[in-house]
Amino acid sequence: MTRISRLGAVVAIAAAVACAGCSVIPVSGPHAVNEAGGGDPLSKPFQRMIAIAPQKNWGPEQIIRGLQAAMAAYPDDPAILPTYLTPEALAKWSASGPVTVIEDGFEVVPPSPRDGTEAVQKVTLKARWVASIKEDDSYVPTAGGWSRSFELVKDKQGGYRVSDLPSGLLLTNSDVARAYRATNLYYLNGNTQDRLVVDRVRLRLKPTETFAQTILKRLLEPPTSALAGGAVTTSFPPGTKIESITYGDERVLINLSGPLDPLDLTGENSLMAQIRYSLNKNEVAKGRSIEVLVDGEAYSIDRPNSDERWLDDSGDTAYYVSKGAVHLMGKDGPAGAVPGPAGEQREGYSDFALSKESNALIAARTSTGISVAGLTREGQWQEVIQGTDLTAPTWHRDGSLWTYDRKNGFLLRYDPAGGRGPERVAPPKELKGLDVTRLRIARDGVRVAVTTGKNTVQICALTTAAGGLMLGNLQLLTTTEEGDEIRDVAWGDDEHLLVLVDSKAGQILNQINVGDGESVGVPLKDRLKSVAALGDRVLAASDDGSKVIELNQDRQTWNVKIEPDAEAPLFPLG
């Protein structure tokens, strides 16, 4: 193994940026010289922005463009930005706060002859607002225009300086693409603690440390606000620190310090899972064994072929509904009705939902409430939640059944193992007065998709801050245009929600990353009524209820799986 005391970033090819006051040069640092093909497996390629100080002959527009370049360079070189500010502005300015991200082609509106004098100029920067990177590293997309006015004054040397600058950094899309990486961190489900939950952040690459160090340092911190309030927890006890990370051809060696208990096997397993997924899912150290030391002493080893149970064990069998009866879906088509009453045709049952396969229960909505049946010959339909205006049922991975009582404005949770009726759960205050139309719990048992009205999807989390499960951390995911209507939503995996929209121009199916709002459109041919997904598999029911189709691996075309009389596809949970 090659031991390295400090690993710099692997660099990309040098590029030049044609803008006033900035350029991009390659950044290099110590790296493993014995690695054939070049490349530190613990880092990511990036380029550093190099800004220059304002020049005496620059006009107001050049000053503003140079200032923006200096903000892009600030985390790596904080010395240039102060040269653009007056002493008074510098005394008030701070880099802390959300990062504002704007489109590359921003416009600098020059001062008008009536607005200012030669000694004092007012300039406006206009752009399309792309996103904010919050202080917890979460990436929040935005929309619409953005503008900021700057007052420039001449100093004693005859050059312009900015007299006031709001705190925080202003970056372009290209700045973020160059210096940040979308990163998945993995925490433990705060309720069951048997499942990893992904938290997507934007992390800035640093020339002074490897990307592996950056990831693990952030993993030791609390999750983003989307998963606050006990929605997730961690196996790293307070006080844990990363002392070093080194690597060889076949292994990565992580030396930690802190109050880790070598006798806590459960904590060891979950801690190693958090490390492995946070590194490997970001393509860092992939294929290498991960060895963890505590204060230089052996703690645990994680092999590349370790099991995947930390991400999904809900089952992967596909089902579909035909004339009120639930059927199994085989590889090439129908595989027969499920046993018991759930596999028998009946009217008045709709919006079927399936629990984990290890304890398979089917739920359906009726005109008087929600009924449940076991997928066995002895199973019987039983109404477990009463109500005439309930959302479609959705299962939690702990075996409980959830719905929203639209008439009375609260959540209902029914636990089949509890032996008593449903309990009320207070919804977030932000939902009060809103028309809640759907509720879908993700397979991680933490995130919840909530649709309100006809055209809005919000993401919540099941928190445990008050000693029991509560719905909180409400955040907007997407809103359709006026007149459009959301037809269905379905969890593909813990990160992605499928949203089916009836629009004026036709149907739209988008796969949206709930961590940063990134959306990918799925081509459609037939009009769809509903969708279901599990990982890479996407199923849909045609609008006329005649067939179930499946999205091909090319993500462009669909194949017919079941016809005729195939009303709705189902996967466990989601």
Side-chain angles (χ1 to χ4, degrees):
M1 171 182 288
T2 302
R3 298 188 62 88
I4 300 173
S5 59
R6 196 156 207 169
L7 301 175
V10 178
V11 299
I13 299 173
V17 174
C19 69
C22 66
S23 62
V24 179
I25 68 170
V27 180
S28 62
H31 60 277
V33 296
N34 63 331
E35 282 277 313
D40 174 354
L42 307 185
S43 288
K44 291 281 187 180
F46 76 106
Q47 299 164 334
R48 190 201 298 183
M49 174 72 78
I50 302 297
I52 62 173
Q55 305 299 300
K56 187 165 62 174
N57 62 339
W58 281 4
E61 180 175 351
Q62 291 172 300
I63 291 291
I64 297 304
R65 293 189 179 276
L67 172 68
Q68 192 283 311
M71 285 194 273
Y74 184 83
D76 298 322
D77 182 7
I80 299 300
L81 180 58
T83 63
Y84 282 84
L85 306 179
T86 64
E88 295 78 13
L90 181 59
K92 294 188 295 181
W93 183 80
S94 170
S96 62
V99 174
T100 300
V101 185
I102 59 174
E103 196 62 80
D104 289 356
F106 62 84
E107 177 188 5
V108 179
V109 181
S112 67
R114 296 174 300 173
D115 192 11
T117 64
E118 182 181 357
V120 180
Q121 298 283 318
K122 291 184 178 180
V123 181
T124 301
L125 190 156
K126 294 183 177 181
R128 190 176 72 84
W129 193 6
V130 176
S132 291
I133 302 177
K134 304 296 186 181
E135 290 179 280
D136 63 2
D137 300 311
S138 59
Y139 184 92
V140 182
T142 55
W146 182 93
S147 66
R148 178 179 292 172
S149 295
F150 299 86
E151 184 179 84
L152 279 66
V153 297
K154 277 198 171 183
D155 59 19
K156 295 179 181 179
Q157 287 72 40
Y160 282 106
R161 297 295 181 268
V162 176
S163 63
D164 185 46
L165 182 65
S167 291
L169 296 175
L170 175 66
L171 305 184
T172 67
N173 241 346
S174 292
D175 294 332
V176 173
R178 176 172 48 246
Y180 289 76
R181 294 295 179 268
T183 307
N184 287 348
L185 304 174
Y186 288 85
Y187 297 87
L188 292 172
N189 179 308
N191 178 31
T192 60
Q193 296 188 19
D194 66 340
R195 184 68 153 68
L196 291 178
V197 180
V198 63
D199 194 15
R200 192 166 177 85
V201 295
R202 285 291 197 283
L203 297 183
R204 187 177 179 95
L205 300 173
K206 302 174 182 178
T208 56
E209 65 186 30
T210 67
F211 192 47
Q213 290 173 313
T214 302
I215 291 172
L216 294 186
K217 282 183 179 179
R218 180 60 183 82
L219 186 63
L220 294 179
E221 299 175 13
T224 63
S225 60
L227 297 176
V232 296
T233 185
T234 181
S235 293
F236 293 94
T240 303
K241 294 182 179 179
I242 300 166
E243 297 298 332
S244 65
I245 304 178
T246 56
Y247 74 93
D249 291 339
E250 298 181 355
R251 67 173 181 168
V252 174
L253 195 64
I254 301 170
N255 188 23
L256 304 176
S257 64
L260 290 165
D261 184 357
L263 300 180
D264 181 7
L265 297 181
T266 300
E268 173 198 336
N269 290 337
S270 55
L271 181 145
M272 294 302 294
Q274 284 187 257
I275 292 175
R276 170 161 53 101
Y277 282 97
S278 296
L279 292 182
N280 290 349
K281 291 295 183 178
N282 294 295
E283 298 183 347
V284 177
K286 202 167 186 178
R288 288 171 166 80
S289 294
I290 298 174
E291 298 184 31
V292 172
L293 309 177
V294 176
D295 296 322
E297 299 294 329
Y299 177 75
S300 188
I301 300 177
D302 189 273
R303 306 295 182 188
N305 59 351
S306 298
D307 68 86
E308 300 290 322
R309 69 179 180 88
W310 287 99
L311 284 191
D312 198 15
D313 58 358
S314 62
D316 58 3
T317 305
Y319 299 77
Y320 69 98
V321 179
S322 177
K323 298 180 179 179
V326 181
H327 293 254
L328 290 161
M329 185 183 299
K331 182 178 179 180
D332 300 316
V338 300
E344 299 171 359
Q345 296 182 8
R346 62 184 59 238
E347 296 182 356
Y349 284 58
S350 64
D351 298 313
F352 291 81
L354 189 68
S355 70
K356 289 171 62 174
E357 280 191 320
S358 58
N359 183 30
L361 295 172
I362 193 81
R365 184 166 56 174
T366 70
S367 61
T368 59
I370 291 175
S371 294
V372 171
L375 299 188
T376 64
R377 296 188 183 279
E378 298 77 23
Q380 296 293 325
W381 283 107
Q382 177 186 1
E383 187 170 83
V384 297
I385 302 177
Q386 294 181 345
T388 57
D389 197 8
L390 305 175
T391 61
T394 182
W395 290 96
H396 189 278
R397 64 181 294 101
D398 68 2
S400 60
L401 182 68
W402 294 66
T403 185
Y404 189 85
D405 187 331
R406 290 159 44 85
K407 181 179 179 181
N408 297 299
F410 52 74
L411 289 155
L412 290 170
R413 177 184 183 270
Y414 170 73
D415 185 358
R420 59 180 183 273
E423 61 176 325
R424 293 186 179 185
V425 179
K429 60 182 180 181
E430 295 90 347
L431 285 181
K432 186 176 181 180
L434 297 182
D435 179 22
V436 176
T437 50
R438 290 177 191 81
L439 196 74
R440 292 283 189 275
I441 300 176
R443 294 181 179 90
D444 60 19
V446 171
R447 285 192 171 88
V448 182
V450 178
T451 61
T452 54
K454 293 183 177 181
N455 61 354
T456 301
V457 181
Q458 304 193 65
I459 300 297
C460 310
L462 288 170
T463 67
T464 58
L469 286 180
M470 297 181 63
L471 201 61
N473 304 346
L474 194 72
Q475 297 184 351
L476 176 67
L477 179 66
T478 185
T479 300
T480 67
E481 294 183 8
E482 189 72 27
D484 295 349
E485 181 176 354
I486 294 171
R487 190 73 177 271
D488 197 17
V489 298
W491 287 98
D493 54 32
D494 302 343
E495 287 186 84
H496 298 97
L497 189 74
L498 289 166
V499 180
L500 178 65
V501 178
D502 285 338
S503 75
K504 300 171 186 176
Q507 278 197 327
I508 301 169
L509 180 59
N510 287 327
Q511 178 179 275
I512 305 176
N513 189 308
V514 299
D516 59 13
E518 181 179 291
S519 182
V520 177
V522 179
L524 296 179
K525 180 180 178 182
D526 299 294
R527 283 191 59 83
L528 305 181
K529 180 180 181 181
S530 65
V531 292
L534 179 60
D536 292 333
R537 292 194 68 187
V538 179
L539 300 171
S542 61
D543 200 21
D544 59 6
S546 65
K547 59 187 176 183
V548 168
I549 58 178
E550 181 167 5
L551 184 64
N552 284 338
Q553 291 298 310
D554 62 9
R555 312 293 287 184
Q556 297 294 317
T557 56
W558 298 77
N559 281 340
V560 175
K561 289 288 292 185
I562 309 289
E563 66 176 344
D565 301 326
E567 301 164 15
L570 298 172
F571 283 110
L573 303 183

